[in-house]
Amino acid sequence: MKSAGRRLRPPLLSAAAFAAALLAAQVSADQAAPQTPARPAAPARTATPARYAPPRLANGKPDLQGIWQVRNTANWNLQAHGGSYKTPAGLGVVVDPPDGSIPYRPEALVIKQKNWTGREAEDPLEKCYLAGVPRTMYLPYPLQILQTETEVAILSEYVHTWRWIPLTPLDRYPGYESWMGDPRGRWDGDTLVVETVGHNDQTWFDHAGNFHSDALTVIERLTRTAADVITYEATMTDPKVFTRPWTIRMPLYLHRDMDRILENECYIYAEEAGKPIRGQHPNE
Amino acid sequence: MNRQVAAGLQIFFIGRVVALAVLVAAAHLRAQEPIPQPRTSGGCPVESRAFYECAMAQAKTFKVPRTAEGRPDFQGFWRSRNNGIAYDVEPGPGSFSVPPTAGEIIDPADKKIPYQPWAVAKRNELRTKGFEDPQGHCAPSGAPRKNNTLFGWRIIQPKGYVTFLYESMHDYRIIPTDGRKHLPASIKTWHGDPVGHWEGDTLVVDYTNLNGKHWFDMSGNFQSENIHVVERYTMFTPDTILFVATIEDSTLYTRPWTLAFSLERNKEPGYYQLEYACHEGERDLQHFTDDTRQVGR
């Protein structure tokens, strides 16, 4: 680990208010990556989907339990992109800024471009590392949500990892730094809001090399907007890398064809295939 | 746990594969440290058979706390009595990186795994190749070994499930308690397919679909893909669960066999479940080469 963990307490502005304040002054970030064509007229995205009455737990809170998975290409590239070798095309999932671009600081954009060039080797998922937050939520693997009145657990097939999200007060562990972050949850009406800090600087947002620092805060919003849909939203704040907070939004779809998740033991499969992934000893 | 401890333990486990003499020496020294062994757990002696008899007797009169669903409430932090190092499920005098052990088996009475003759020979050979222990390569630990891994786990009980969230390798077990059908036999997994049901106040978890690549411990005791494990969890004090696992595999063993040990509530002040990123932090397996595989031959 390169640096000590850092807890960032961003001002609790709503992302929308923050975005509105910055919109006028926003400098359009340079999205020179060759995979990022000019954004086409995207289908309208409604921030407030039609009212749906979700199933509820005994305490009246929405029941988000089930096996869920996205049906998009966010894992390959959060931004709009055409198809390329081993990469399916996608309209992009960045809804704020409205032009669908990630608002990098100029010096950070240089790192993003370097990541893009080296992605086939350097994407942490190529090494079977933990995907981090939010990427774990839009991997091409199912995840199961389990819930009690005091906690939510999100369990991913990919390298058997869980997120445990307390809904009751819990002091943060000083200096927590990790691949999956340290989440806290609360209900905002019928929306589960999860604030995650304590990230390391090793995970990427996607295969295209979009990245963050250890100053990242992610605020996710999960709303069951239809029987088979959770509308998933995540707002990223990281002043070391981005000029302003930015937001992705996508549906998670309920698997009606699965009664349990399976497993994907990426690094063991690599070893069994004779292509072991080895860490680099710091002294070598 | 804290990160330094985690790093040290990682080296300890992986250290057995390392060709560098200095690290081997360090691992060897650690192996000689005495393991703290309290004499009782939940008021019962820790010797496996005596523990089992005592805990079963206590469970008959224990008034178990219950969830809203009316099931025994196991929620909270737990860890095995040893805080989770499966050195050897059989009693043994100790060997390289394995301290003397009292064993965990309660049946057969001699506390030995009832291997077929060819299988005990294979176990003895594996025992000389501790560096091939899959857990040392950050592979999932399987059943029942996962309950003997470091730092313990959190149990949560969403409706219809008992779910274990382990600190070790951020692993989990999602156990549905509706007794559903197992996966098709063609699916082999590192985690197995746990299907649970309640027998009175005992949680019974039936495991199939394991891939047979696991070891039970650090001493080469091994499995095949025909393994069938039944785990039983019985709370007998507010802070103690009797854990019993029965193992069947007619291709390896002459009869089913059973081990038992204590799960204790983790009441360590300030305990916080941290991330144990085994593969991501791994810095020794690059020494695991064809040459390493020659060691012990």
Side-chain angles (χ1 to χ4, degrees):
Chain A
M1 302 300 161
K2 287 176 185 164
S3 54
R6 173 183 301 254
R7 286 183 298 149
L8 192 74
R9 295 286 198 170
L12 286 175
L13 290 175
S14 83
F18 200 98
L22 282 175
L23 258 179
Q26 186 212 346
V27 177
S28 183
D30 177 12
Q31 290 304 313
Q35 84 285 11
T36 309
R39 188 176 172 78
R45 296 164 192 275
T46 46
T48 2
R51 186 60 80 179
Y52 161 75
R56 293 178 189 276
L57 299 188
N59 66 351
K61 298 303 181 187
D63 187 343
L64 306 179
Q65 294 178 102
I67 296 174
W68 304 89
Q69 191 172 345
V70 296
R71 203 188 291 156
N72 64 22
T73 61
N75 174 60
W76 286 268
N77 196 337
L78 294 177
Q79 304 182 105
H81 58 281
S84 58
Y85 180 56
K86 291 202 285 187
T87 298
L91 291 172
V93 294
V94 178
V95 295
D96 179 48
D99 72 352
S101 66
I102 297 173
Y104 282 103
R105 303 173 68 90
E107 66 276 20
L109 191 57
V110 174
I111 298 173
K112 150 67 198 280
Q113 298 295 1
K114 182 167 156 279
N115 290 347
W116 163 260
T117 306
R119 66 193 181 283
E120 293 306 337
E122 296 306 317
D123 178 358
L125 260 64
E126 297 293 328
K127 305 173 200 175
C128 300
Y129 288 171
L130 286 166
V133 174
R135 192 175 181 184
T136 294
M137 303 299 289
Y138 47 82
L139 292 175
Y141 300 95
L143 48 85
Q144 183 160 6
I145 298 181
L146 292 168
Q147 215 178 322
T148 70
E149 297 189 356
T150 59
E151 67 212 334
V152 177
I154 300 176
L155 306 106
S156 173
E157 261 192 15
Y158 175 70
V159 298
H160 59 259
T161 194
W162 48 261
R163 304 176 67 196
W164 179 78
I165 302 160
L167 302 175
T168 49
L170 176 65
D171 286 344
R172 297 252 185 217
Y173 189 90
Y176 195 98
E177 183 203 285
S178 66
W179 293 78
M180 296 299 293
D182 194 23
R184 295 292 182 275
R186 62 184 167 85
W187 291 102
D188 175 9
D190 282 349
T191 296
L192 174 66
V193 181
V194 184
E195 177 170 348
T196 302
V197 298
H199 306 268
N200 66 22
D201 60 0
Q202 303 290 301
T203 65
W204 287 7
F205 293 114
D206 56 24
H207 184 62
N210 288 305
F211 76 108
H212 59 86
S213 78
D214 59 4
L216 175 69
T217 294
V218 180
I219 297 179
E220 299 164 279
R221 300 176 64 86
L222 287 80
T223 314
R224 195 160 186 169
T225 48
D228 289 3
V229 176
I230 287 175
T231 297
Y232 175 78
E233 193 175 287
T235 297
M236 275 58 75
T237 304
D238 183 346
K240 288 185 184 173
V241 178
F242 309 117
T243 59
R244 49 163 286 190
W246 54 282
T247 299
I248 58 176
R249 186 186 305 136
M250 64 191 82
L252 297 174
Y253 293 99
L254 185 70
H255 269 287
R256 288 200 178 275
D257 53 346
M258 294 176 72
D259 68 348
R260 70 203 90 185
I261 57 174
L262 301 173
E263 66 184 18
N264 187 282
E265 301 307 310
C266 185
Y267 52 86
I268 298 297
Y269 298 161
E271 184 163 330
E272 290 174 338
K275 300 172 186 170
I277 295 157
R278 299 295 187 233
Q280 187 66 34
H281 193 281
N283 296 332
E284 294 185 84
Chain B
M1 69 166 177
N2 66 46
R3 200 171 305 279
Q4 286 72 29
V5 169
L9 286 161
Q10 182 67 14
I11 288 168
F12 171 52
F13 280 122
I14 308 298
R16 293 175 297 147
V17 313
V18 172
L20 295 175
V22 60
L23 283 184
V24 171
H28 190 63
L29 282 173
R30 280 169 196 263
Q32 302 311 308
E33 291 168 7
I35 311 292
Q37 295 282 334
R39 288 189 199 132
T40 61
S41 185
C44 289
V46 297
E47 187 280 315
S48 59
R49 182 77 211 181
F51 172 75
Y52 172 79
E53 303 284 359
C54 170
M56 286 296 278
Q58 283 199 38
K60 282 182 187 147
T61 54
F62 175 62
K63 283 189 103 63
V64 66
R66 295 189 184 277
T67 64
E69 279 187 275
R71 296 302 185 186
D73 187 347
F74 294 168
Q75 295 179 96
F77 292 122
W78 296 88
R79 54 192 180 193
S80 72
R81 186 179 60 80
N82 291 334
N83 190 17
I85 298 181
Y87 288 110
D88 192 344
V89 296
E90 293 186 347
S95 59
F96 177 67
S97 83
V98 174
T101 48
E104 292 166 349
I105 294 172
I106 60 170
D107 177 48
D110 68 359
K111 297 193 176 184
K112 300 280 191 190
I113 297 174
Y115 284 112
Q116 298 180 17
W118 71 267
V120 77
K122 178 172 173 185
R123 188 277 311 272
N124 292 342
E125 189 196 345
L126 290 176
R127 185 167 280 183
T128 66
K129 298 175 184 170
F131 44 81
E132 293 194 350
D133 178 356
Q135 191 177 274
H137 297 229
C138 303
S141 308
R145 188 178 183 182
K146 193 68 211 183
N147 285 350
N148 231 343
T149 52
L150 286 161
F151 308 113
W153 61 97
R154 182 199 301 275
I155 296 183
I156 65 173
Q157 288 177 247
K159 191 176 182 188
Y161 289 91
V162 179
T163 299
F164 296 0
L165 306 177
Y166 294 91
E167 179 155 337
S168 166
M169 303 183 206
H170 46 80
D171 211 343
Y172 58 76
R173 287 176 166 181
I174 303 171
I175 304 164
T177 52
D178 56 6
R180 65 184 59 172
K181 272 178 66 176
H182 275 298
L183 293 170
S186 58
I187 300 182
K188 297 298 183 190
T189 64
W190 280 96
H191 288 90
D193 181 38
V195 173
H197 68 277
W198 293 96
E199 283 180 19
D201 289 340
T202 295
L203 173 66
V204 181
V205 186
D206 193 283
Y207 266 93
T208 59
N209 302 84
L210 284 154
N211 64 12
K213 295 174 180 173
H214 302 85
W215 292 10
F216 289 99
D217 53 28
M218 290 163 64
S219 298
N221 288 306
F222 70 106
Q223 312 183 353
S224 89
E225 65 174 20
N226 302 309
I227 189 171
H228 175 216
V229 180
V230 179
E231 297 181 340
R232 304 175 70 86
Y233 299 79
T234 308
M235 188 180 261
F236 67 97
T237 83
D239 298 326
T240 327
I241 289 174
L242 165 64
F243 173 68
V244 180
T246 298
I247 293 103
E248 275 184 292
D249 183 346
S250 60
T251 58
L252 293 186
Y253 318 120
T254 59
R255 50 165 287 195
W257 54 281
T258 301
L259 58 79
F261 53 82
S262 167
L263 309 182
E264 296 178 343
R265 192 180 292 279
N266 177 1
K267 296 199 282 190
E268 182 184 325
Y271 175 77
Y272 197 96
Q273 213 173 13
L274 299 182
E275 180 177 276
Y276 185 144
C278 187
H279 167 62
E280 292 79 359
E282 195 287 304
R283 294 294 180 272
D284 277 330
L285 278 176
Q286 69 266 36
H287 301 295
F288 187 79
T289 63
D290 286 345
D291 288 345
T292 312
R293 286 172 184 271
Q294 299 304 315
V295 174
R297 285 192 187 165

